[in-house]
Amino acid sequence: MIRPNFLTTADRLELLSCVKRQREDYGVARRANALSLLNDGMSCAQIAKVLFLDDDTVRSWHKQYLAEDWEAVAYDGWKGGQSRMTIAHEADLSEWLEERFCRSTAQIRAYMGAKFNIHYSHSGCIKLLARLGFEYRKPKALPRVADVEKQAAFIAFHTNLLNNLPADEAVYFSDAVHPEYQSKPSHGWARKGSNPAIQTTSGRVNIHGALNLETFDAPFVEPTTVDGVSSVQLLAKIEARNPDKRIIHVIWDNAPYHKGPNVRAFLSRKNCRIHLIQLPPYCPHLNPIERLWAVMHSHVTHNRHYPTQKHFANPILNFMREVVPKKWRNFRDQVTDNFRIISHRNVRVVL
């Protein structure tokens, strides 16, 4: 049930204005009318009957308003008619917009009024912006990544390492994963209106693992805490599984425990065969074991509910112990070292 009085005071006045303006686009006015009636307490079914709509349409407008706001609901993709602005005005406005990120048409309309003495309605401004090539959208979160040069250098190093790898050496990629004992909803096809849902849980499992892309050997440990101790346990396990290898290259990230006293003491042993290689900072995309974790989640955790944490942990451990060794050929196309360089060069950072 949709609770009334969800509109802000400013939006309620804007919607009422949209409904009353005779020159307002019919589609925008109808959306404004529907949201205003919902805000007054009418149900979706009642509004749909009055406005000759489907009640799911009214519900979707309400959902979009809560997720984005009235600007997004009002946008219908229509480019508008003849502009009241000159080509020079439009060029000026476009240049002004390129230099900032306006969240509302109010700021844009205020600028046009002050600069050109031209006043647009909310919906009219939306159509003008669409015709000028602007759209209402949310900026993407921008994760930190390593320098492009560092990524390229690592990819070149990795390629050279594999191309010149002697028979008595091996390469492993290592990382930790923490599957949460928390149901992970993911997209799937369902009949419209069936409202699929899964039960939620809480807790997690720790796995510190490694992966050899040539043999798909995937040793791992199940520590209470991922730290220097679990790092040493994993390195010892990798050594034990490769008695014929003179050098074992282990590539992992820059976590502090990967460089801590436990690991340093392990490496200082006289007959240690482990050679550690650090990934560039902020480059999980250059670690193929991350792709194995994604495959594990798709097979074990997505859209699945387990009654207890033990029931949750067992399929994960079974996937690592049984599924990976027996069915690794099924994963070869998904878990690869087909690396690519990630760059921020083609994005505009919003300040």
Side-chain angles (χ1 to χ4, degrees):
M1 179 180 177
I2 297 176
R3 297 181 181 276
N5 301 317
F6 56 86
L7 291 175
T8 65
T9 301
D11 280 349
R12 185 174 62 82
L13 294 175
E14 173 67 28
L15 266 59
L16 288 175
S17 179
C18 285
V19 172
K20 294 177 181 179
R21 281 195 295 260
Q22 296 299 317
R23 55 189 171 86
E24 197 70 57
D25 176 73
Y26 175 71
V28 175
R30 193 158 66 153
R31 292 184 178 100
N33 198 6
L35 289 177
S36 296
L37 293 173
L38 268 178
N39 189 68
D40 291 341
M42 286 184 66
S43 69
C44 292
Q46 291 171 326
I47 296 170
K49 185 176 181 180
V50 171
L51 299 181
F52 299 97
L53 295 168
D54 182 88
D55 59 338
D56 281 340
T57 300
V58 179
R59 206 169 284 111
S60 69
W61 289 341
H62 173 261
K63 183 178 180 181
Q64 187 179 17
Y65 172 81
L66 295 181
E68 300 177 68
D69 64 21
W70 168 239
E71 302 268 345
V73 181
Y75 177 68
D76 62 2
W78 187 61
K79 304 288 185 174
Q82 181 65 39
S83 175
R84 289 183 284 141
M85 296 176 64
T86 65
I87 295 176
H89 289 163
E90 291 180 352
D92 183 291
L93 176 63
S94 296
E95 183 179 353
W96 182 80
L97 286 168
E98 289 285 359
E99 296 174 353
R100 50 191 43 79
F101 190 77
C102 299
R103 295 191 58 205
S104 169
T105 63
Q107 183 181 355
I108 302 170
R109 286 182 286 158
Y111 174 79
M112 289 192 293
K115 186 71 180 289
F116 314 124
N117 196 28
I118 297 176
H119 301 279
Y120 271 77
S121 68
H122 167 74
S123 60
C125 184
I126 289 175
K127 293 165 191 171
L128 171 64
L129 294 174
R131 188 167 55 78
L132 294 179
F134 292 88
E135 61 181 353
Y136 191 76
R137 61 183 302 175
K138 184 186 296 184
K140 295 180 180 179
L142 195 64
R144 295 184 66 179
V145 297
D147 293 339
V148 169
E149 290 75 15
K150 291 183 179 179
Q151 296 180 61
F154 174 81
I155 293 173
F157 164 80
H158 172 257
T159 301
N160 182 66
L161 176 65
L162 294 189
N163 288 341
N164 299 282
L165 192 70
D168 61 350
E169 295 185 14
V171 177
Y172 281 79
F173 284 88
S174 175
D175 187 40
V177 67
H178 314 278
E180 294 184 351
Y181 177 47
Q182 172 71 15
S183 307
K184 288 182 175 290
S186 61
H187 287 84
W189 288 100
R191 184 174 293 280
K192 185 176 180 180
S194 62
N195 297 323
I198 59 174
Q199 293 178 295
T200 59
T201 48
S202 62
R204 75 176 191 177
V205 176
N206 294 319
I207 292 179
H208 208 166
L211 177 65
N212 183 323
L213 285 177
E214 182 180 0
T215 64
F216 238 79
D217 180 41
F220 70 97
V221 295
E222 315 147 48
T224 302
T225 303
V226 175
D227 54 17
V229 174
S230 68
S231 300
V232 169
Q233 292 173 342
L234 178 61
L235 294 176
K237 203 165 192 177
I238 294 173
E239 268 196 341
R241 291 168 80 124
N242 292 273
D244 59 329
K245 300 301 181 183
R246 181 178 56 87
I247 298 177
I248 306 168
H249 305 276
V250 177
I251 303 173
W252 58 15
D253 61 28
N254 292 269
Y257 50 77
H258 285 161
K259 310 172 188 177
N262 299 93
V263 173
R264 292 199 300 270
F266 180 84
L267 296 176
S268 66
R269 295 175 302 124
K270 182 177 180 180
N271 298 319
C272 180
R273 294 178 291 127
I274 296 292
H275 172 227
L276 293 183
I277 300 169
Q278 303 291 334
L279 284 165
Y282 312 111
C283 287
H285 60 286
L286 297 181
N287 194 342
I289 200 172
E290 296 280 2
R291 304 176 186 183
L292 179 62
W293 301 148
V295 171
M296 177 198 70
H297 279 300
S298 68
H299 279 72
V300 179
T301 67
H302 288 174
N303 289 341
R304 288 174 173 82
H305 168 73
Y306 298 95
T308 67
Q309 184 156 350
K310 183 177 180 180
H311 285 88
F312 170 72
N314 287 340
I316 293 174
L317 300 178
N318 180 71
F319 179 85
M320 297 297 296
R321 290 170 179 159
E322 304 292 335
V323 178
V324 171
K326 293 179 181 178
K327 299 183 179 180
W328 62 269
R329 289 180 178 83
N330 298 341
F331 312 137
R332 290 303 294 262
D333 292 338
Q334 298 169 267
V335 184
T336 71
D337 56 359
N338 183 21
F339 299 137
R340 64 188 180 91
I341 294 175
I342 294 180
S343 171
H344 292 163
R345 290 173 180 170
N346 296 322
V347 300
R348 179 172 72 93
V349 177
V350 175
L351 300 177

